[in-house]
Amino acid sequence: KLGRYSLNLGQTTYFAGSAGMFDGAELSYTSGKMSMLGGYADSNAVNQAYTSSTFKDAGNIYYADMHYKFDDKVKANVFYVKNQSNDGVEALVKVMGFGATWQISNDWKFVGDYWKNSADDAKLADGASPKGQVYRIAYKGAKAAVPGSWGAHLEYLKIEDGAVDGNWSGAAVPVTDGVKGWAFQYSNTLSKNVVADVIYAFNLKNAATGDDYYGGKGNKYTRFQINYMF
């Protein structure tokens, strides 16, 4: 890849699953059961795209992601991302993570991601490095090329403040400012290349304090979206 592209890292893309906006170069290589990719990119465009940005001053980043398929049922990956900031000083992103997918049966699978941001400027108030974790159980799946196909999943998430940037993340639920809770998603392919998603997140809490994520406005989040696949 060369130019503007999406950055996708991990099994769930909770850490990185952007809709474009990274400008740089990425190389990939596959050999047997192993595949690797690595790149160097300018993150300034995505950092200023939609929501308040945790990694606003991250500047240029370099990254690597290695995947290994053990067999037809189990695959895993490990990834690393580090920023080279706009002024050469801030260390906002220094992330190591790993994930795995276990195809339990034809219809059921377990997916998990875990990562930690050990950058100096990302430390929590107690000096610890913020972590992110997502554990998902999924049934079937909506296939864009197969009208009428559908799927659903339930997941637990705990994303500490500073572990992820909402502009980078491919999550369908809020992930900024530190959040933990549960999320359910149902997806259905309405017609070829048109997929509808219904997302309901509940018991959302501040990851540090345990207070309701939205304060006096509650701890639930609902979202409906239709995706057209080009």
Side-chain angles (χ1 to χ4, degrees), residues 104-124:
I104 302 169
S105 68
N106 287 338
D107 292 332
W108 292 92
K109 65 181 176 182
F110 172 82
V111 185
D113 270 329
Y114 175 91
W115 68 93
K116 180 170 71 173
N117 186 1
S118 58
D120 291 340
D121 288 354
K123 302 291 186 185
L124 299 171

Side-chain angles (χ1 to χ4, degrees), residues 141-222:
K143 300 177 177 61
V146 183
S149 62
W150 63 277
H153 69 249
L154 177 69
E155 64 190 20
Y156 172 78
L157 59 133
K158 183 177 181 182
I159 315 292
E160 294 176 332
D161 189 20
V164 72
D165 187 307
N167 292 325
W168 292 34
S169 178
V173 300
V175 294
T176 56
D177 302 321
V179 61
K180 62 180 179 180
W182 296 83
F184 173 81
Q185 178 170 323
Y186 171 80
S187 302
N188 191 298
T189 303
L190 304 178
S191 62
K192 189 174 181 179
N193 295 329
V194 180
V195 180
D197 298 322
V198 178
I199 301 103
Y200 176 67
F202 56 97
N203 200 33
L204 296 176
K205 303 287 185 179
N206 182 288
T209 67
D211 296 333
D212 284 351
Y213 185 67
Y214 293 110
K217 298 181 180 180
N219 60 13
K220 299 179 177 65
Y221 173 86
T222 305

Side-chain angles (χ1 to χ4, degrees), residues 61-128:
I61 63 168
Y62 51 89
Y63 59 91
D65 191 10
M66 183 181 76
H67 288 250
Y68 190 83
K69 186 176 182 180
F70 293 91
D71 52 35
D72 291 337
K73 293 186 176 182
V74 179
K75 60 182 180 180
N77 79 292
V78 58
F79 68 89
Y80 179 77
V81 186
K82 190 176 187 303
N83 80 296
Q84 178 184 344
S85 69
N86 289 330
D87 61 11
V89 177
E90 293 102 335
L92 293 174
V93 185
K94 188 178 179 182
V95 171
M96 175 70 77
F98 60 90
T101 296
W102 172 29
Q103 191 73 44
I104 302 169
S105 68
N106 287 338
D107 292 332
W108 292 92
K109 65 181 176 182
F110 172 82
V111 185
D113 270 329
Y114 175 91
W115 68 93
K116 180 170 71 173
N117 186 1
S118 58
D120 291 340
D121 288 354
K123 302 291 186 185
L124 299 171
D126 62 1

